[in-house]
Amino acid sequence: MNFNVDDGLSRITEKIEFSERLTFDEGVALYHSTDLNAIGKLADHVRRKKHGLTTYYNVNRHFNHTNICVADCKFCGFYKRARQEGAYTHSVTDAIEIARAAVAEGATELHIVGGLNSKLPFSYFTDLFSSLKHEFPKLHLKALTMVELDFMARFFKMSDEDVI
C-alpha cells in the first residue's frame, strides 16, 4: 500500500498488508485514530483484497413506530407526550404498509427506532418484528437503540437471562 499513515497506524498497516489478524488493542487504536483518510484507505484495501472492485451496500429506510416518549432529552426535537398534538404510535398494520412502500422503492433494510412509550406492551414489539419478517423475509430489520433496549429491560423488569 502506497500511502502515508501516522506513526500509530504503521504497524497496523503492515499487518493488514500481510492479511494478519489485528489485536483488540489495535482495533482500539484504529477507533482512537484521527487519521480518517488512512483508516478509509486501509478498509478499502481489505475490501479490494476480499471482493475486488465489487462493493456491497443496502438501501435503508427509517421507520419511527412511535414518537411518544417518557424521556425528557434536551436535544430531542422528535418526541411528544402521549396527549400532545402530533403524538402517534403506528399499528402493526401501518408498519406493514410503510415497509411495503419502502420495499417497492428498493429498500433492503428497515431501521426501526422510536420514543420510549410506556403504554406499549412488550407484545407490540414481538408482533411488529415477527409480522414484518413474515411479510418481508428478505428485508433486514435494524431495530431499537441501546436506550430503547435499556428502557424495555427496566420497564418490563427483564433479567439478563430474559434479554439474552
Side-chain angles (χ1 to χ4, degrees):
M1 290 179 282
N2 295 347
F3 58 89
N4 294 328
V5 295
D6 67 34
D7 288 337
L9 297 182
S10 57
R11 174 69 184 126
I12 294 171
T13 301
E14 287 176 24
K15 286 183 83 171
I16 288 173
E17 234 177 297
F18 294 104
S19 301
E20 294 177 27
R21 188 165 183 81
L22 300 181
T23 67
F24 176 81
D25 289 338
E26 289 164 337
V28 171
L30 285 171
Y31 176 78
H32 288 294
S33 174
T34 58
D35 194 347
L36 294 181
N37 285 330
I39 293 170
K41 287 177 181 177
L42 291 171
D44 186 57
H45 175 78
V46 171
R47 180 191 62 83
R48 286 174 187 255
K49 234 176 171 176
K50 287 183 170 191
H51 305 290
L53 293 178
T54 303
T55 300
Y56 297 92
Y57 65 95
N58 65 36
V59 178
N60 178 294
R61 293 291 182 271
H62 275 78
F63 168 59
N64 301 116
H65 57 283
T66 185
N67 67 346
I68 297 171
C69 190
V70 297
D72 189 17
C73 302
K74 300 295 181 223
F75 60 86
C76 181
F78 168 75
Y79 84 98
K80 301 285 185 193
R81 296 292 183 211
R83 290 180 172 52
Q84 196 173 351
E85 185 179 334
Y88 67 83
T89 298
H90 288 292
S91 69
V92 172
T93 304
D94 291 342
I96 296 292
E97 293 311 311
I98 290 166
R100 186 178 317 287
V103 168
E105 294 173 353
T108 58
E109 178 180 85
L110 192 62
H111 188 173
I112 305 167
V113 294
L116 309 179
N117 188 339
S118 61
K119 301 296 184 208
L120 291 176
F122 188 73
S123 61
Y124 171 85
F125 297 96
T126 57
D127 292 347
L128 174 66
F129 301 144
S130 62
S131 296
L132 286 166
K133 282 312 282 184
H134 175 62
E135 190 74 24
F136 309 101
K138 293 184 178 178
L139 185 64
H140 177 75
L141 301 182
K142 179 179 177 179
L144 307 176
T145 64
M146 193 62 235
V147 171
E148 291 169 281
L149 292 171
D150 181 64
F151 171 78
M152 290 170 71
R154 292 171 193 265
F155 186 77
F156 295 112
K157 297 177 176 51
M158 301 170 122
S159 68
D160 290 344
E161 290 78 28
D162 293 328
V163 175
I164 296 170

